[in-house]
């Protein structure tokens, strides 16, 4: 596995990864909100630079959207969960930015545990997601000197 920048040919695969990952981990979303969010992702994902974790045939296994020191999105193909892909993307973010932060849905306990295992600490909470939907967020921060 290696990590590389995305290009326009990666958009469809990144959206597929997002869909599969959300369907596997975000059971708390209402069907209406799931559909709304998918339309938002389809409109902005092609226009942002992503970091992709790819296999030896250059097939994307997961992606990360890093905005400065903040991880806006981290999604791994569920068929590849538990293989160190998310950890590798986090290590890449730390290498690039040092201290990093992210927000995670409180109901996504799998993701909360993942980030905490990698040294993220809770810095706060919000009662809604960033679009005002009723999905509480946990705000997390990871210092660059914390071992992975």
């Amino acid at each position: 596995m290696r990590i590389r920048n995305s290009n326009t040919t990666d958009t469809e695969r990144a959206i597929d990864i997002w869909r599969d990952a959300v369907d596997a981990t975000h059971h708390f979303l209402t069907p209406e909100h799931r559909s709304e969010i998918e339309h938002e992702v389809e409109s902005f994902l092609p226009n942002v630079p992503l970091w992709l974790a790819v296999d030896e045939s250059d097939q994307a296994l997961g992606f990360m959207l890093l905005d400065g020191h903040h991880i806006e999105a981290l999604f791994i193909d569920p068929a590849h969960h538990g293989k160190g892909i998310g950890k590798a993307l986090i290590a890449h973010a730390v290498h690039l930015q040092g201290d990093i932060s992210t927000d995670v849905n409180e109901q996504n306990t799998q993701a909360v545990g993942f980030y905490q295992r990698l040294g993220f600490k809770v810095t706060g909470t919000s009662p809604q997601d960033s679009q005002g939907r009723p999905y509480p967020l946990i705000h997390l921060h990871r210092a660059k000197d914390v071992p992975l």
Side-chain angles (χ1 to χ4, degrees):
M1 181 193 61
R2 67 184 176 89
I3 297 173
R4 67 166 174 83
N5 291 105
S6 64
N7 59 57
T8 56
T9 64
D10 296 312
T11 300
E12 186 176 327
R13 175 66 179 139
I15 290 171
D16 287 344
I17 289 170
W18 179 87
R19 281 186 193 114
D20 292 346
V22 166
D23 290 345
T25 61
H26 289 62
H27 304 289
F28 52 89
L29 294 175
T30 67
E32 295 79 18
H33 287 155
R34 164 65 176 76
S35 180
E36 285 174 18
I37 296 167
E38 181 171 350
H39 290 298
E40 291 167 9
V41 167
E42 289 172 340
S43 69
F44 83 82
L45 206 57
N47 303 308
V48 296
L50 301 174
W51 288 103
L52 299 179
V54 298
D55 65 14
E56 60 280 346
S57 65
D58 204 43
Q59 174 77 11
L61 307 173
F63 71 86
M64 174 177 63
L65 172 54
L66 187 62
D67 183 11
H69 293 267
H70 191 74
I71 298 171
E72 293 289 344
L74 178 69
F75 291 94
I76 309 301
D77 181 332
H80 298 281
H81 280 184
K83 297 181 180 177
I85 297 164
K87 183 177 180 179
L89 286 165
I90 295 294
H92 190 70
V94 171
H95 172 75
L96 293 172
Q97 298 295 335
D99 290 8
I100 54 175
S101 63
T102 195
D103 301 318
V104 65
N105 292 106
E106 182 179 270
Q107 299 100 318
N108 189 349
T109 56
Q110 181 180 359
V112 173
F114 165 78
Y115 287 113
Q116 289 179 327
R117 284 190 302 278
L118 293 180
F120 283 80
K121 302 294 182 200
V122 175
T123 60
T125 60
S126 297
Q128 300 172 325
D129 69 13
S130 57
Q131 287 77 33
R133 295 182 188 101
Y135 305 109
L137 294 177
I138 298 174
H139 308 295
L140 300 162
H141 176 266
R142 184 186 189 287
K144 66 181 175 185
D145 58 346
V146 174
L148 277 172

